[in-house]
Amino acid sequence: MTWNQGLTMQLDEYTIKLPDQPLEKEMINWRLPISQQKFSYEQLPDLRTLNSQELQNLGASQWHLREHGHWQLIKGQPVYVPGGFWMFLNYWTTTRGQRPNFRIEAWEFFVFWYLHVEKTPNCLGSLFVKARRLGDSEKTLFILYERATRYFNYPSGMQSYTDEEAKKAFERIVRAHKKMPYFFKPKHSGTMSEELKFHRPSEVNTVKKLKEARGEVIESSDGEFLDSSISYRATVNLAYDGQILGHFTLDECLKIPFYKLNVRSQWDNIRRVLTLNNGMTAYGKALLLSTVEEKNENDPDNSTVEMAEQLWDDSDPNNLDGNGQTESGLVRIFRGFEKNAQIDEFGFPKIEEARRHRQNRIDSLLRDKNYTELLSLYRKEPETVQEAFSKSTTNCP
């Protein structure tokens, strides 16, 4: 990435506009020496000590940050933290039961989503071709939750590599939802076993419950509710057909065998689900992400690598039609092995160490003439998008 006077940044194929940069004295951490300028997490007061007005003010201030984000000085550099990324770092609970660490690679992920994909009206979402174990599935689940709990009448859905993985992903969202603070937890109904419905008022961690815990007498009120939802479906074609979705996620989409789900056909279905007026109006957005694995390598017409390459080419932001869309309606981005490098105490990647480690492994595989494992390494930990689409030796001219 490169910066341009704090107004735009270059990320992969995209020039992304940033909000106006304030003076450094108005940024978080500005009084601290550079050695202490790490991401500053929110420190909430004891909610039991706050009165009604203080609880309301706290919720309003946190919602402002969720919507607008803010600037922080990280290791001497001004960094704009998008509101969604701020919420992710402070209030999302990962599969390990912890809140996420600040990482520059994660910052890039959320900047791309919130400042480019979200702000491009004709864009139907993004295609991430990536190295493995980046934690992007966790980020994707958060985005699905954040959008569904932010907008009214906003149904959201997900599929994954297998039915079981989709179920596990949904359960991860439910666990994170249960731990949200009262000001970000919408009222829900139902058992949350197969669908998370944000409908009628609930007594779970609401302001009303906090007040009643202190013995305060308040008037009963149903208040407003979102009428949004989050659900998951089996790994089959035509899931969600005929519905309207505000957000859709398909995890590990580039390694699903054709006999299980034809990703291109399913995306054509989901594209209709995300749009109105015969595709003229983009109602929702999708996030498709995956590493690339070779399936059906002896059948080029049904090869997952061939499919991945085609979807990548169809999502080229430099090739737009008269409606300002790519052929797929998605925009693409590549996230290579360097994104998974170890980080320093500030969250910046140790790229040189990661490169040396990977090259040593490549040299060893070449020395042993283990080309099958080498191709597998290229696809799972690619440095370039070409390596991500490496084909097996049986199909190599």
Side-chain angles (χ1 to χ4, degrees):
M1 65 181 178
T2 57
W3 292 82
N4 178 24
Q5 301 299 319
L7 301 177
T8 62
M9 62 170 285
Q10 193 67 34
L11 181 61
D12 204 46
E13 301 177 87
Y14 307 93
T15 300
I16 300 177
K17 187 179 185 304
L18 300 172
D20 293 338
Q21 182 175 311
L23 299 174
E24 287 195 1
K25 67 179 181 179
E26 298 175 355
M27 299 181 190
I28 305 297
N29 292 335
W30 82 276
R31 289 181 178 274
L32 299 177
I34 291 179
S35 61
Q36 298 179 26
Q37 288 179 350
K38 303 174 184 178
F39 179 80
S40 177
Y41 288 89
E42 293 293 309
Q43 303 294 328
L44 294 181
D46 185 346
L47 301 181
R48 295 170 297 180
T49 66
L50 304 183
N51 60 36
S52 177
Q53 187 60 52
E54 289 171 334
L55 285 169
Q56 183 176 342
N57 293 342
L58 175 63
S61 67
Q62 297 297 284
W63 262 98
H64 179 84
L65 286 167
R66 175 177 176 175
E67 293 176 349
H68 302 286
H70 64 188
W71 288 81
Q72 294 197 23
L73 288 170
I74 308 291
K75 200 177 180 180
Q77 298 188 34
V79 175
Y80 173 69
V81 182
F85 187 35
W86 169 88
M87 179 181 172
F88 175 73
L89 291 171
N90 282 287
Y91 296 114
W92 186 252
T93 302
T94 68
T95 54
R96 297 181 179 180
Q98 304 170 337
R99 63 184 179 186
N101 294 323
F102 175 83
R103 298 174 62 95
I104 288 297
E105 62 82 12
W107 172 76
E108 292 177 346
F109 185 102
F110 284 101
V111 164
F112 175 68
W113 177 264
Y114 282 107
L115 299 187
H116 182 73
V117 178
E118 289 268 10
K119 292 184 178 296
T120 305
N122 290 334
C123 176
L124 296 180
S126 55
L127 169 68
F128 287 80
V129 174
K130 66 183 191 68
R132 66 176 182 173
R133 304 184 68 84
L134 287 180
D136 287 356
S137 296
E138 193 82 60
K139 305 179 188 76
T140 300
L141 294 179
F142 166 79
I143 288 174
L144 187 149
Y145 178 83
E146 198 275 330
R147 287 181 64 90
T149 59
R150 182 172 181 175
Y151 302 112
F152 288 93
N153 192 24
Y154 203 82
S156 301
M158 70 174 86
Q159 290 179 284
S160 189
Y161 177 66
T162 64
D163 300 356
E164 184 64 24
E165 289 303 314
K167 180 180 180 181
K168 288 180 181 179
F170 176 79
E171 292 172 346
R172 286 161 65 181
I173 288 181
V174 171
R175 287 196 297 271
H177 168 71
K178 290 179 178 179
K179 295 184 179 181
M180 278 289 162
Y182 73 91
F183 42 78
F184 287 153
K185 180 183 288 186
K187 301 163 184 178
H188 70 269
S189 65
T191 61
M192 299 188 291
S193 60
E194 295 182 356
E195 185 174 14
L196 186 53
K197 298 180 180 180
F198 304 118
H199 292 321
R200 67 173 179 269
S202 167
E203 292 300 308
V204 182
N205 278 0
T206 60
V207 176
K208 178 180 178 181
K209 185 174 182 180
L210 289 170
K211 292 176 181 177
E212 290 178 341
R214 297 197 307 269
E216 294 185 25
V217 178
I218 62 174
E219 296 181 0
S220 175
S221 173
D222 286 343
E224 292 185 336
F225 51 90
L226 286 173
D227 199 23
S228 296
S229 64
I230 299 174
S231 62
Y232 69 94
R233 295 288 186 271
T235 311
V236 295
N237 288 306
L238 296 180
Y240 295 106
D241 183 44
Q243 301 184 37
I244 296 178
L245 291 181
H247 183 90
F248 174 77
T249 294
L250 180 54
D251 194 17
E252 299 294 2
C253 61
L254 302 181
K255 57 183 185 182
I256 302 177
F258 276 72
Y259 70 84
K260 184 179 294 184
L261 182 144
N262 186 314
V263 173
R264 289 308 304 266
S265 296
Q266 176 61 354
W267 170 241
D268 289 341
N269 170 51
I270 293 298
R271 184 170 183 170
R272 292 189 295 271
V273 168
L274 296 173
T275 58
L276 303 171
N277 309 121
N278 298 319
M280 292 179 60
T281 304
Y283 177 79
K285 295 186 184 291
L287 206 159
L288 281 65
L289 71 160
S290 184
T291 53
V292 180
E293 286 191 13
E294 181 73 278
K295 304 291 183 182
N296 301 334
E297 63 182 45
N298 296 320
D299 184 359
D301 292 333
N302 287 318
S303 166
T304 51
V305 175
E306 296 286 346
M307 178 274 294
E309 284 185 301
Q310 187 62 52
L311 189 58
W312 175 265
D313 291 340
D314 290 347
S315 305
D316 184 354
N318 303 302
N319 185 21
L320 304 179
D321 62 18
N323 296 320
Q325 287 187 325
T326 64
E327 186 170 343
S328 69
L330 302 166
V331 291
R332 67 192 187 187
I333 193 165
F334 172 70
R335 288 166 55 77
F337 82 96
E338 294 175 354
K339 305 299 182 185
N340 200 24
Q342 291 181 337
I343 58 173
D344 62 19
E345 59 184 313
F346 301 93
F348 288 86
K350 300 178 181 180
I351 294 177
E352 292 304 320
E353 291 88 335
R355 286 175 178 168
R356 285 196 298 270
H357 178 75
R358 180 177 183 269
Q359 190 58 50
N360 289 337
R361 295 169 62 197
I362 291 174
D363 292 343
S364 177
L365 291 171
L366 286 172
R367 185 170 55 250
D368 296 338
K369 297 182 179 181
N370 192 343
Y371 303 121
T372 299
E373 285 299 317
L374 180 61
L375 287 172
S376 177
L377 184 150
Y378 282 153
R379 284 199 296 264
K380 293 178 180 178
E381 301 176 26
E383 182 177 11
T384 65
V385 71
Q386 290 76 21
E387 287 186 354
F389 297 140
S390 298
K391 296 180 176 64
S392 64
T393 54
T394 58
N395 290 327
C396 178

